[in-house]
PDB file of all heavy atoms in Angstrom:
ATOM      1  N   GLN A 282      25.688 -28.795  60.361  1.00 98.00           N
ATOM      2  CA  GLN A 282      25.892 -30.027  59.516  1.00 98.00           C
ATOM      3  C   GLN A 282      25.194 -29.961  58.268  1.00 98.00           C
ATOM      4  O   GLN A 282      25.738 -30.219  57.157  1.00 98.00           O
ATOM      5  CB  GLN A 282      25.232 -31.218  60.413  1.00 98.00           C
ATOM      6  CG  GLN A 282      25.256 -32.640  59.753  1.00 98.00           C
ATOM      7  CD  GLN A 282      26.869 -32.867  59.464  1.00 98.00           C
ATOM      8  OE1 GLN A 282      27.659 -32.695  60.442  1.00 98.00           O
ATOM      9  NE2 GLN A 282      27.167 -33.508  58.334  1.00 98.00           N
ATOM     10  N   ARG A 284      24.682 -27.247  56.462  1.00 98.00           N
ATOM     11  CA  ARG A 284      25.389 -26.168  55.643  1.00 98.00           C
ATOM     12  C   ARG A 284      26.715 -26.854  55.212  1.00 98.00           C
ATOM     13  O   ARG A 284      27.144 -26.630  54.026  1.00 98.00           O
ATOM     14  CB  ARG A 284      25.706 -24.962  56.488  1.00 98.00           C
ATOM     15  CG  ARG A 284      26.518 -23.891  55.738  1.00 98.00           C
ATOM     16  CD  ARG A 284      25.954 -23.428  54.456  1.00 98.00           C
ATOM     17  NE  ARG A 284      26.726 -22.425  53.677  1.00 98.00           N
ATOM     18  CZ  ARG A 284      26.703 -22.340  52.443  1.00 98.00           C
ATOM     19  NH1 ARG A 284      26.223 -23.265  51.667  1.00 98.00           N
ATOM     20  NH2 ARG A 284      27.509 -21.411  51.956  1.00 98.00           N
ATOM     21  N   GLY A 296      34.111 -27.175  42.409  1.00 93.00           N
ATOM     22  CA  GLY A 296      35.397 -26.961  42.929  1.00 93.00           C
ATOM     23  C   GLY A 296      35.524 -25.623  43.755  1.00 93.00           C
ATOM     24  O   GLY A 296      36.583 -25.163  44.137  1.00 93.00           O
ATOM     25  N   HIS A 300      29.644 -18.139  49.605  1.00 98.00           N
ATOM     26  CA  HIS A 300      29.322 -17.723  50.965  1.00 98.00           C
ATOM     27  C   HIS A 300      28.000 -17.104  50.967  1.00 98.00           C
ATOM     28  O   HIS A 300      27.594 -16.417  50.118  1.00 98.00           O
ATOM     29  CB  HIS A 300      30.372 -16.797  51.481  1.00 98.00           C
ATOM     30  CG  HIS A 300      31.707 -17.388  52.047  1.00 98.00           C
ATOM     31  ND1 HIS A 300      32.921 -16.898  51.531  1.00 98.00           N
ATOM     32  CD2 HIS A 300      31.904 -18.416  52.697  1.00 98.00           C
ATOM     33  CE1 HIS A 300      33.867 -17.539  52.100  1.00 98.00           C
ATOM     34  NE2 HIS A 300      33.255 -18.514  52.747  1.00 98.00           N
ATOM     35  N   GLY A 308      32.499 -13.444  58.504  1.00 98.00           N
ATOM     36  CA  GLY A 308      33.807 -13.908  58.099  1.00 98.00           C
ATOM     37  C   GLY A 308      34.833 -12.703  58.032  1.00 98.00           C
ATOM     38  O   GLY A 308      35.821 -12.630  58.557  1.00 98.00           O
ATOM     39  N   LEU A 323      39.152  -3.795  69.008  1.00 98.00           N
ATOM     40  CA  LEU A 323      38.012  -3.823  69.931  1.00 98.00           C
ATOM     41  C   LEU A 323      36.672  -3.612  69.145  1.00 98.00           C
ATOM     42  O   LEU A 323      35.618  -4.071  69.659  1.00 98.00           O
ATOM     43  CB  LEU A 323      38.178  -2.641  70.976  1.00 98.00           C
ATOM     44  CG  LEU A 323      37.091  -2.319  71.827  1.00 98.00           C
ATOM     45  CD1 LEU A 323      36.908  -3.470  72.817  1.00 98.00           C
ATOM     46  CD2 LEU A 323      37.280  -1.011  72.604  1.00 98.00           C
ATOM     47  N   GLN A 341      31.586  -0.306  37.228  1.00 98.00           N
ATOM     48  CA  GLN A 341      30.917  -0.657  38.333  1.00 98.00           C
ATOM     49  C   GLN A 341      31.618  -0.804  39.539  1.00 98.00           C
ATOM     50  O   GLN A 341      31.136  -0.317  40.674  1.00 98.00           O
ATOM     51  CB  GLN A 341      30.267  -2.177  37.977  1.00 98.00           C
ATOM     52  CG  GLN A 341      29.112  -2.092  36.895  1.00 98.00           C
ATOM     53  CD  GLN A 341      28.739  -3.532  36.650  1.00 98.00           C
ATOM     54  OE1 GLN A 341      29.500  -4.546  36.811  1.00 98.00           O
ATOM     55  NE2 GLN A 341      27.526  -3.664  35.994  1.00 98.00           N
ATOM     56  N   ILE A 350      33.927   5.060  49.900  1.00 98.00           N
ATOM     57  CA  ILE A 350      34.436   6.234  50.464  1.00 98.00           C
ATOM     58  C   ILE A 350      33.463   7.118  51.134  1.00 98.00           C
ATOM     59  O   ILE A 350      33.699   7.642  52.161  1.00 98.00           O
ATOM     60  CB  ILE A 350      35.209   6.936  49.362  1.00 98.00           C
ATOM     61  CG1 ILE A 350      36.374   6.085  48.793  1.00 98.00           C
ATOM     62  CG2 ILE A 350      35.634   8.445  49.664  1.00 98.00           C
ATOM     63  CD1 ILE A 350      37.158   6.665  47.551  1.00 98.00           C
ATOM     64  N   GLY A 372      42.616 -19.368  39.823  1.00 86.00           N
ATOM     65  CA  GLY A 372      43.737 -18.510  39.860  1.00 86.00           C
ATOM     66  C   GLY A 372      43.699 -17.170  39.301  1.00 86.00           C
ATOM     67  O   GLY A 372      44.658 -16.382  39.161  1.00 86.00           O
ATOM     68  N   SER A 390      59.564  12.126  41.354  1.00 92.00           N
ATOM     69  CA  SER A 390      61.030  12.488  41.526  1.00 92.00           C
ATOM     70  C   SER A 390      61.302  13.432  40.467  1.00 92.00           C
ATOM     71  O   SER A 390      61.257  13.197  39.182  1.00 92.00           O
ATOM     72  CB  SER A 390      61.772  11.105  41.246  1.00 92.00           C
ATOM     73  OG  SER A 390      63.149  11.211  41.262  1.00 92.00           O
ATOM     74  N   GLY A 394      64.964  16.904  43.711  1.00 86.00           N
ATOM     75  CA  GLY A 394      64.308  16.260  44.834  1.00 86.00           C
ATOM     76  C   GLY A 394      63.023  15.659  44.548  1.00 86.00           C
ATOM     77  O   GLY A 394      62.497  15.585  43.520  1.00 86.00           O
ATOM     78  N   LEU A 411      49.076   5.337  32.260  1.00 98.00           N
ATOM     79  CA  LEU A 411      47.593   5.065  31.827  1.00 98.00           C
ATOM     80  C   LEU A 411      46.974   6.397  31.307  1.00 98.00           C
ATOM     81  O   LEU A 411      45.870   6.275  30.802  1.00 98.00           O
ATOM     82  CB  LEU A 411      46.767   4.630  32.861  1.00 98.00           C
ATOM     83  CG  LEU A 411      47.260   3.076  33.421  1.00 98.00           C
ATOM     84  CD1 LEU A 411      46.474   2.690  34.703  1.00 98.00           C
ATOM     85  CD2 LEU A 411      47.060   2.093  32.252  1.00 98.00           C
ATOM     86  N   GLY A 417      51.646  17.798  40.091  1.00 96.00           N
ATOM     87  CA  GLY A 417      53.053  17.832  40.476  1.00 96.00           C
ATOM     88  C   GLY A 417      53.230  18.398  41.880  1.00 96.00           C
ATOM     89  O   GLY A 417      54.293  18.847  42.279  1.00 96.00           O
ATOM     90  N   PRO A 448      44.143  20.051  57.006  1.00 98.00           N
ATOM     91  CA  PRO A 448      45.228  20.859  57.086  1.00 98.00           C
ATOM     92  C   PRO A 448      45.785  20.742  58.474  1.00 98.00           C
ATOM     93  O   PRO A 448      45.118  20.740  59.504  1.00 98.00           O
ATOM     94  CB  PRO A 448      44.678  22.343  56.740  1.00 98.00           C
ATOM     95  CG  PRO A 448      43.341  22.123  56.245  1.00 98.00           C
ATOM     96  CD  PRO A 448      42.936  20.870  56.807  1.00 98.00           C
ATOM     97  N   VAL A 481      39.285 -16.808  48.612  1.00 98.00           N
ATOM     98  CA  VAL A 481      40.131 -15.628  48.669  1.00 98.00           C
ATOM     99  C   VAL A 481      39.556 -14.602  47.835  1.00 98.00           C
ATOM    100  O   VAL A 481      39.238 -14.814  46.541  1.00 98.00           O
ATOM    101  CB  VAL A 481      41.576 -16.095  48.044  1.00 98.00           C
ATOM    102  CG1 VAL A 481      42.340 -14.808  47.992  1.00 98.00           C
ATOM    103  CG2 VAL A 481      42.245 -17.138  48.819  1.00 98.00           C
ATOM    104  N   THR A 494      49.586   8.589  65.341  1.00 98.00           N
ATOM    105  CA  THR A 494      51.095   8.290  65.023  1.00 98.00           C
ATOM    106  C   THR A 494      51.176   7.684  63.657  1.00 98.00           C
ATOM    107  O   THR A 494      52.356   7.787  63.115  1.00 98.00           O
ATOM    108  CB  THR A 494      51.625   7.314  66.073  1.00 98.00           C
ATOM    109  OG1 THR A 494      50.787   6.152  66.164  1.00 98.00           O
ATOM    110  CG2 THR A 494      51.703   7.992  67.444  1.00 98.00           C
ATOM    111  N   ILE A 516      61.010  25.555  62.645  1.00 97.00           N
ATOM    112  CA  ILE A 516      60.021  26.500  62.981  1.00 97.00           C
ATOM    113  C   ILE A 516      59.959  26.541  64.483  1.00 97.00           C
ATOM    114  O   ILE A 516      59.533  27.517  65.138  1.00 97.00           O
ATOM    115  CB  ILE A 516      58.654  26.306  62.418  1.00 97.00           C
ATOM    116  CG1 ILE A 516      58.076  24.952  62.794  1.00 97.00           C
ATOM    117  CG2 ILE A 516      58.694  26.274  60.838  1.00 97.00           C
ATOM    118  CD1 ILE A 516      56.686  24.827  62.455  1.00 97.00           C
ATOM    119  N   LYS A 547      38.840  19.725  62.804  1.00 98.00           N
ATOM    120  CA  LYS A 547      38.168  19.471  61.498  1.00 98.00           C
ATOM    121  C   LYS A 547      36.911  18.606  61.786  1.00 98.00           C
ATOM    122  O   LYS A 547      36.029  18.385  60.863  1.00 98.00           O
ATOM    123  CB  LYS A 547      39.194  18.846  60.452  1.00 98.00           C
ATOM    124  CG  LYS A 547      38.631  18.604  59.103  1.00 98.00           C
ATOM    125  CD  LYS A 547      38.529  19.787  58.181  1.00 98.00           C
ATOM    126  CE  LYS A 547      38.298  19.736  56.841  1.00 98.00           C
ATOM    127  NZ  LYS A 547      38.206  20.820  56.045  1.00 98.00           N
ATOM    128  N   GLU A 569      39.217 -12.856  76.136  1.00 97.00           N
ATOM    129  CA  GLU A 569      39.507 -13.927  77.155  1.00 97.00           C
ATOM    130  C   GLU A 569      38.115 -14.334  77.811  1.00 97.00           C
ATOM    131  O   GLU A 569      37.958 -15.480  77.899  1.00 97.00           O
ATOM    132  CB  GLU A 569      40.424 -13.209  78.168  1.00 97.00           C
ATOM    133  CG  GLU A 569      40.727 -14.272  79.377  1.00 97.00           C
ATOM    134  CD  GLU A 569      41.691 -13.509  80.457  1.00 97.00           C
ATOM    135  OE1 GLU A 569      42.103 -12.489  80.283  1.00 97.00           O
ATOM    136  OE2 GLU A 569      41.870 -14.235  81.382  1.00 97.00           O
ATOM    137  N   HIS A 592      50.766  -0.768  77.942  1.00 98.00           N
ATOM    138  CA  HIS A 592      50.832  -2.146  78.590  1.00 98.00           C
ATOM    139  C   HIS A 592      51.297  -3.078  77.501  1.00 98.00           C
ATOM    140  O   HIS A 592      51.882  -4.148  77.669  1.00 98.00           O
ATOM    141  CB  HIS A 592      49.459  -2.610  78.997  1.00 98.00           C
ATOM    142  CG  HIS A 592      48.568  -3.058  77.962  1.00 98.00           C
ATOM    143  ND1 HIS A 592      47.853  -2.250  77.135  1.00 98.00           N
ATOM    144  CD2 HIS A 592      48.203  -4.321  77.584  1.00 98.00           C
ATOM    145  CE1 HIS A 592      47.166  -2.929  76.371  1.00 98.00           C
ATOM    146  NE2 HIS A 592      47.341  -4.254  76.504  1.00 98.00           N
ATOM    147  N   PHE A 594      53.775  -2.934  75.321  1.00 98.00           N
ATOM    148  CA  PHE A 594      55.226  -2.940  75.346  1.00 98.00           C
ATOM    149  C   PHE A 594      55.760  -4.054  76.372  1.00 98.00           C
ATOM    150  O   PHE A 594      56.711  -4.726  76.042  1.00 98.00           O
ATOM    151  CB  PHE A 594      55.881  -1.636  75.679  1.00 98.00           C
ATOM    152  CG  PHE A 594      57.319  -1.728  75.588  1.00 98.00           C
ATOM    153  CD1 PHE A 594      57.880  -1.363  74.393  1.00 98.00           C
ATOM    154  CD2 PHE A 594      58.191  -1.770  76.828  1.00 98.00           C
ATOM    155  CE1 PHE A 594      59.304  -1.284  74.482  1.00 98.00           C
ATOM    156  CE2 PHE A 594      59.479  -1.734  76.783  1.00 98.00           C
ATOM    157  CZ  PHE A 594      60.121  -1.597  75.498  1.00 98.00           C
ATOM    158  N   TYR A 607      43.376 -11.169  56.655  1.00 98.00           N
ATOM    159  CA  TYR A 607      43.669 -10.368  55.517  1.00 98.00           C
ATOM    160  C   TYR A 607      45.141 -10.584  55.343  1.00 98.00           C
ATOM    161  O   TYR A 607      45.969 -10.761  56.335  1.00 98.00           O
ATOM    162  CB  TYR A 607      43.407  -8.866  55.861  1.00 98.00           C
ATOM    163  CG  TYR A 607      41.991  -8.556  56.238  1.00 98.00           C
ATOM    164  CD1 TYR A 607      41.662  -8.477  57.483  1.00 98.00           C
ATOM    165  CD2 TYR A 607      41.238  -8.357  55.165  1.00 98.00           C
ATOM    166  CE1 TYR A 607      40.310  -8.052  57.795  1.00 98.00           C
ATOM    167  CE2 TYR A 607      39.852  -7.943  55.430  1.00 98.00           C
ATOM    168  CZ  TYR A 607      39.359  -7.917  56.803  1.00 98.00           C
ATOM    169  OH  TYR A 607      38.049  -7.672  57.090  1.00 98.00           O
TER     170      TYR A 607
END
Side-chain angles (χ1 to χ4, degrees):
Q282 188 57 40
R284 180 58 177 140
H300 286 130
L323 175 65
Q341 291 172 339
I350 291 171
S390 177
L411 293 173
V481 177
T494 53
I516 63 172
K547 185 76 172 179
E569 183 179 356
H592 80 283
F594 182 85
Y607 301 98

